[in-house]
Amino acid sequence: MKIGIFTDSYLPYTSGVVKSIEVFTRELTDMGHDVYIFAPSYPKCAKENRVFRFASLPAPTNPGYTLAIPFSIRLKPVIRNLKLDIIHVHSPFLLGRLGAKYAKRLGIPLVFTFHTLYDQYVHYVPLGQEITREITRRLCRDFCNGCDMVITPTGIIAKHLEELGVNARVETIPTGIEVEKFINSNPGWLRQKYNIDREKKILLFVGRLGVEKNIHFLLEAFKEIHHRSADSCLVLVGGGPEEEKLKKQAKVSGLTEKIIFTGKMPWQDVVNCYVGADIFVFASVTETQGLVIGEAKAAGLPVVAVKAFGVSEMVEDGKDGFLTGEDRDEFVEKIALLLKDRLLREKMSLKARENAWHISSRGTAKKLADCYRSLLEWKKSASG
């Protein structure tokens, strides 16, 4: 199959959406399919085979992110020459809408992956947030209903779309985890890199440092955790608009020496952080899946996470981690229990590794390819 991917974010920008596109593209290509990506350009962006870049502008509220100008005189002949079988969009905006237009023009199936609870991100809009939230919900519903298939990473998000009024065909396919990449990584790298004593227990967060990730809650919880367990430290892997505010919060709490901000890292270093930590902690309440939780489990980390949306399906409560309410005391208690009970940590670590294999990248890519084929067969029979 020849698959056209239209996305409003792509490398070198890092996010769960970008990671999902990377993983599925790699697996589909290995399976013999041809994947072509249509994405924004970024400063000093290297040329890549099968990646078409659009001229872009810097996003005013998100450093490092660019907004594609969804027009190019080169696009029409490129699309015509590729003879795509299917178009898969990863946003209901800008390039997602452009991809939808070309799918309709070419008469080929249109697939949309609903990666993001867009209405939960209106804090980036300076005015009229409630009106923006409602408009965003309607826009997402209408865009979904114009697609031949909508992919959701978790069942709870599929239910959420149904409640919004989406009546298009919906399939649940999580972004897969490249489990093999966590097997031969370096568990001593993290402690050596940041001079962390062997006796210290490392709590790890990986993700974008944005308001929606609820990291201020995480730091408040760690203040209490460290009061109980002085041999603990918190490592935050990633960058984002809240980084300076979070550093100030750490300083005010007297925890500057106990909280490590790594900034953005190459992927292999991130993997080394996973395998070198003891517990993964996650407080976001806006996830459609929580891909980093699957990655943490592949590294054998027990997870303590706030139970909200997609996260609730990524942790087997009491087996490979704990799910809590958005209650600081409850969150702290579960982390404290894992810090204290080594046998429980080891038991959950084994279960986490085992469960990560259930969403391996090869398995989820095969399911996606099957969905593509079913759409192509349906389109063929409908036109015949």
Side-chain angles (χ1 to χ4, degrees):
M1 287 181 285
K2 291 186 175 183
I3 304 149
I5 303 291
F6 284 74
T7 174
D8 282 342
S9 58
Y10 192 58
L11 297 170
Y13 186 77
T14 55
S15 69
V17 175
V18 174
K19 184 65 180 177
S20 177
I21 293 168
E22 271 193 282
V23 169
F24 277 116
T25 297
R26 192 152 42 240
E27 292 290 356
L28 288 168
T29 301
D30 286 348
M31 290 160 60
H33 304 292
D34 295 324
V35 181
Y36 302 90
I37 295 171
F38 300 83
S41 60
Y42 298 83
K44 299 178 181 177
C45 196
K47 268 194 169 185
E48 296 172 77
N49 191 31
R50 297 187 178 182
V51 178
F52 184 99
R53 298 281 186 174
F54 289 81
S56 305
L57 299 170
T61 59
N62 188 354
Y65 190 81
T66 64
L67 300 172
I69 300 170
F71 172 79
S72 170
I73 59 173
R74 297 187 295 122
L75 182 61
K76 190 174 181 179
V78 167
I79 293 282
R80 184 174 60 242
N81 291 335
L82 288 179
K83 294 182 170 55
L84 297 174
D85 295 304
I86 201 158
I87 285 179
H88 189 158
V89 301
H90 291 262
S91 160
F93 309 112
L94 299 175
L95 294 186
R97 290 188 170 272
L98 185 65
K101 183 177 81 171
Y102 270 92
K104 184 176 182 180
R105 183 178 293 176
L106 295 169
I108 62 176
L110 174 65
V111 178
F112 168 45
T113 293
F114 190 85
H115 288 284
T116 307
L117 293 164
Y118 298 98
D119 61 323
Q120 301 295 315
Y121 284 66
V122 296
H123 49 265
Y124 289 112
V125 179
L127 298 170
Q129 292 185 355
E130 286 308 312
I131 293 173
T132 303
R133 192 188 307 277
E134 184 56 34
I135 291 171
T136 301
R137 285 173 177 164
R138 291 180 184 179
L139 185 150
C140 289
R141 179 197 64 203
D142 293 345
F143 188 83
C144 287
N145 284 336
C147 298
D148 296 302
M149 179 185 291
V150 178
I151 306 291
T152 62
T154 49
I156 197 166
I157 298 301
K159 190 173 187 300
H160 172 72
L161 291 185
E162 182 183 340
E163 291 168 353
L164 281 182
V166 172
N167 52 37
R169 176 182 169 185
V170 177
E171 295 286 344
T172 297
I173 306 175
T175 295
I177 309 300
E178 297 171 293
V179 183
E180 301 86 351
K181 294 194 173 181
F182 293 83
I183 295 172
N184 296 315
S185 296
N186 183 358
W189 183 90
L190 178 58
R191 292 181 186 275
Q192 184 177 2
K193 172 74 174 177
Y194 294 100
N195 196 27
I196 303 171
D197 292 340
R198 292 181 62 184
E199 295 74 24
K200 284 190 180 294
K201 298 293 185 293
I202 301 174
L203 309 182
L204 179 71
F205 166 87
V206 176
R208 185 169 177 273
L209 304 185
V211 172
E212 64 280 356
K213 299 299 182 182
N214 206 16
I215 308 169
H216 293 283
F217 171 91
L218 203 59
L219 265 58
E220 282 297 317
F222 180 67
K223 183 178 178 181
E224 175 61 26
I225 291 162
H226 188 262
H227 177 72
R228 296 192 192 189
S229 304
D231 63 342
S232 61
C233 70
L234 174 63
V235 176
L236 303 174
V237 176
E242 290 294 291
E243 186 168 349
E244 291 308 313
K245 288 182 182 178
L246 291 166
K247 287 179 177 178
K248 287 179 183 177
Q249 183 181 347
K251 185 176 181 180
V252 169
S253 300
L255 296 170
T256 302
E257 301 299 318
K258 308 298 179 183
I259 300 177
I260 297 169
F261 292 82
T262 73
K264 293 180 181 179
M265 287 181 152
W267 172 240
Q268 187 53 55
D269 291 349
V270 176
V271 172
N272 287 335
C273 287
Y274 277 123
V275 300
D278 296 290
I279 301 170
F280 191 75
V281 291
F282 199 67
S284 173
V285 293
T286 64
E287 304 298 308
T288 56
Q289 177 178 350
L291 177 60
V292 290
I293 291 177
E295 292 171 347
K297 287 164 62 172
L301 294 185
V303 177
V304 178
V306 172
K307 184 179 181 180
F309 288 109
V311 169
S312 61
E313 293 184 27
M314 291 297 291
V315 178
E316 194 173 352
D317 191 29
K319 300 291 181 66
D320 58 18
F322 292 113
L323 292 169
T324 77
E326 196 178 356
D327 177 275
R328 192 184 68 178
D329 292 341
E330 184 184 3
F331 194 76
V332 166
E333 286 300 329
K334 295 303 184 184
I335 294 172
L337 173 60
L338 280 170
L339 286 172
K340 182 174 65 175
D341 194 331
R342 179 179 60 83
L343 291 178
L344 179 61
R345 280 203 316 275
E346 290 175 354
K347 182 180 177 181
M348 285 190 165
S349 174
L350 290 172
K351 190 64 175 176
R353 288 184 192 276
E354 178 186 326
N355 286 347
W357 282 99
H358 297 162
I359 51 169
S360 72
S361 56
R362 178 51 59 96
T364 56
K366 283 181 177 177
K367 185 174 180 182
L368 180 60
D370 288 342
C371 285
Y372 287 161
R373 290 191 192 94
S374 71
L375 278 180
L376 290 171
E377 290 170 7
W378 166 77
K379 206 79 171 176
K380 185 178 179 181
S381 62
S383 62

